[in-house]
């Protein structure tokens, strides 16, 4: 199983980025996925969940209305569109795979996720 996040970079406040997570090694369309982030010197923070079909999404209050999670089950790709970025969005963004196929919860429960990508750095300058 591999999850490879990409698309991070340096952007100014108010800018946008689109992260991608390329997945292999399992039946992508059967599993819910998650984005989390980790700011420098802080613990991991939940960002968003998406169910295996892609029709149910949930977001942390800190990103709701600015970030949009989506997936392309035909291409085995997970996305995170990030708009109106602020310096508080700076961090390493990770994608993760739900442990069991077909299950989904609309909240953060990292124990239910078994594979994590290597992360992609997002830096938002003020």
């Amino acid at each position: 199983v591999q999850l490879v996040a990409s698309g991070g970079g340096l952007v100014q406040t108010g800018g946008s980025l689109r992260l991608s997570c390329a997945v292999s090694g399992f039946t992508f369309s059967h599993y819910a996925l998650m984005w989390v982030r980790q700011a420098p010197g802080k613990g991991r923070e939940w960002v968003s969940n998406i169910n295996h079909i892609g029709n149910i999404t949930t977001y942390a209050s800190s990103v709701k209305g600015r970030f949009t999670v989506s997936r392309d089950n035909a291409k085995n790709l997970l996305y995170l569109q990030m708009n109106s970025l602020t310096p508080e969005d700076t961090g390493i963004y990770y994608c993760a795979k739900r442990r069991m196929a077909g299950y989904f919860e609309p909240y953060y429960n990292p124990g239910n996720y078994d594979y994590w990508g290597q992360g992609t750095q997002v830096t938002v300058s003020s």
Side-chain angles (χ1 to χ4, degrees):
V1 174
Q2 274 196 318
L3 298 94
V4 180
S6 63
L10 174 64
V11 64
Q12 290 186 333
T13 295
S16 298
L17 282 173
R18 189 193 197 200
L19 305 184
S20 298
C21 178
V23 168
S24 61
F26 63 96
T27 307
F28 181 77
S29 62
H30 291 185
Y31 293 85
L33 299 164
M34 175 172 69
W35 285 102
V36 299
R37 66 187 181 186
Q38 187 165 16
K42 296 187 178 181
R44 283 185 176 175
E45 176 191 12
W46 175 61
V47 173
S48 180
N49 287 356
I50 185 167
N51 72 336
H52 65 292
I53 299 173
N55 62 338
I56 303 176
T57 58
T58 55
Y59 300 92
S61 57
S62 58
V63 307
K64 195 169 186 178
R66 301 187 298 122
F67 290 13
T68 302
V69 63
S70 61
R71 62 191 296 163
D72 186 334
N73 283 352
K75 296 181 179 179
N76 284 15
L77 286 170
L78 171 70
Y79 302 105
L80 185 67
Q81 177 67 43
M82 306 187 297
N83 299 328
S84 303
L85 286 163
T86 74
E88 288 68 38
D89 296 314
T90 293
I92 302 173
Y93 283 69
Y94 301 90
C95 50
K97 165 194 165 288
R98 186 65 167 76
R99 186 180 305 275
M100 294 185 67
Y103 284 77
F104 176 79
E105 59 278 308
Y107 50 84
Y108 183 46
N109 189 341
N112 285 340
Y113 289 76
D114 56 356
Y115 287 95
W116 299 70
Q118 88 292 356
T120 185
Q121 176 71 48
V122 172
T123 303
V124 184
S125 62
S126 57

